[in-house]
Amino acid sequence: MLDSTEIVEELAEIGRRFDARNWVLGTSGNFSAVISREPLRLLMTRSGLSKGVLTAEGMVEIDGSGAAVEPQSGRPSADALLHVEIARARGANSVLHTHSIWSTVLSDREAAAGGLAISGYEMLKGLEGVATHEHREWIPILENDQDMPRLSGRIRQLLAEHPACHAFLLRRHGLYTWGETLPQAVRHIEILEFLLEAVGRTGS
């Protein structure tokens, strides 16, 4: 088991940073970090809280089904099962979800194409394993769904079909990305949000 106190502090700092960038306005967005693999346990933000003022009370431990390990500790985000699915499929130790303007707009604008291709930007080199601006990053887009077991199944299939992708978008909902560590996941959010805004502003 990892030190949950340290993770709480890191997630709270991430919440403040992302809130300041308008990436998690209101109660939007959710963050998680794996604290155990056997059995799978994640520390995750609770439902209905502002991410800009997170404390230990704003976190809940969830199991491999996305349910709170201790129900009295609070209700995890409705997206909990999606975090579990990504952690399993990618071996990720952190999953971050933002609701920025540009991720929302582009997830709708490019939905008919099934995804968004980004290439030619130097910032692509901030994504794990990418060494050149000539890299072509494909960000798949899925229709949003309030049926989380059904949506998590679609995400499982999407991640299997696109093993090289660093993220995906839910239509009119926002961006999901992940990392082997929390700092790597944060870096991916920062890189991807920059790229989405650049593409959105230039229309390219």
Side-chain angles (χ1 to χ4, degrees):
M1 296 282 286
L2 298 180
D3 183 353
S4 59
T5 301
E6 183 177 340
I7 292 174
V8 165
E9 292 173 357
E10 290 185 58
L11 291 175
E13 173 59 23
I14 290 166
R16 288 189 290 271
R17 288 172 59 185
F18 288 6
D19 183 64
R21 298 298 302 272
N22 293 332
W23 293 341
V24 287
L25 290 175
T27 61
S28 67
N30 39 71
F31 316 143
S32 70
V34 173
I35 56 175
S36 170
R37 282 283 170 187
E38 294 293 339
L40 184 61
R41 296 285 188 270
L42 287 77
L43 193 64
M44 185 173 191
T45 47
R46 284 174 50 198
S47 178
L49 297 179
S50 168
K51 306 309 177 294
V53 290
L54 284 175
T55 64
E57 287 68 38
M59 314 285 181
V60 58
E61 184 178 336
I62 63 172
D63 62 20
S65 69
V69 173
E70 298 179 1
Q72 69 274 17
S73 64
R75 183 166 59 92
S77 166
D79 296 356
L81 193 54
L82 310 188
H83 286 244
V84 169
E85 195 62 58
I86 295 167
R88 283 195 176 117
R90 284 294 193 258
N93 286 310
S94 177
V95 180
L96 303 177
H97 169 42
T98 51
H99 271 248
S100 70
I101 289 290
W102 288 111
S103 66
T104 305
V105 169
L106 290 174
S107 71
D108 191 33
R109 194 178 83 185
E110 304 296 329
L116 173 65
I118 304 178
S119 62
Y121 289 90
E122 184 71 10
M123 285 290 273
L124 284 161
K125 291 162 61 177
L127 299 176
E128 191 67 19
V130 175
T132 173
H133 68 284
E134 296 176 345
H135 170 77
R136 179 183 183 273
E137 182 70 19
W138 178 252
I139 304 176
I141 299 172
L142 277 176
E143 286 290 337
N144 194 17
D145 192 339
Q146 299 306 305
D147 184 323
M148 289 303 152
R150 182 169 58 201
L151 182 56
S152 68
R154 290 174 180 164
I155 287 171
R156 185 185 318 123
Q157 181 180 358
L158 178 145
L159 294 175
E161 291 173 351
H162 302 281
C165 75
H166 292 86
F168 62 84
L169 293 164
L170 290 183
R171 188 178 184 188
R172 298 182 178 177
H173 186 80
L175 173 71
Y176 280 83
T177 189
W178 49 86
E180 294 178 8
T181 63
L182 262 171
Q184 186 183 107
V186 169
R187 188 178 82 235
H188 284 170
I189 285 286
E190 292 175 340
I191 295 298
L192 290 162
E193 289 288 2
F194 173 94
L195 292 168
L196 291 170
E197 183 169 351
V199 169
R201 287 183 180 275
T202 61
S204 63

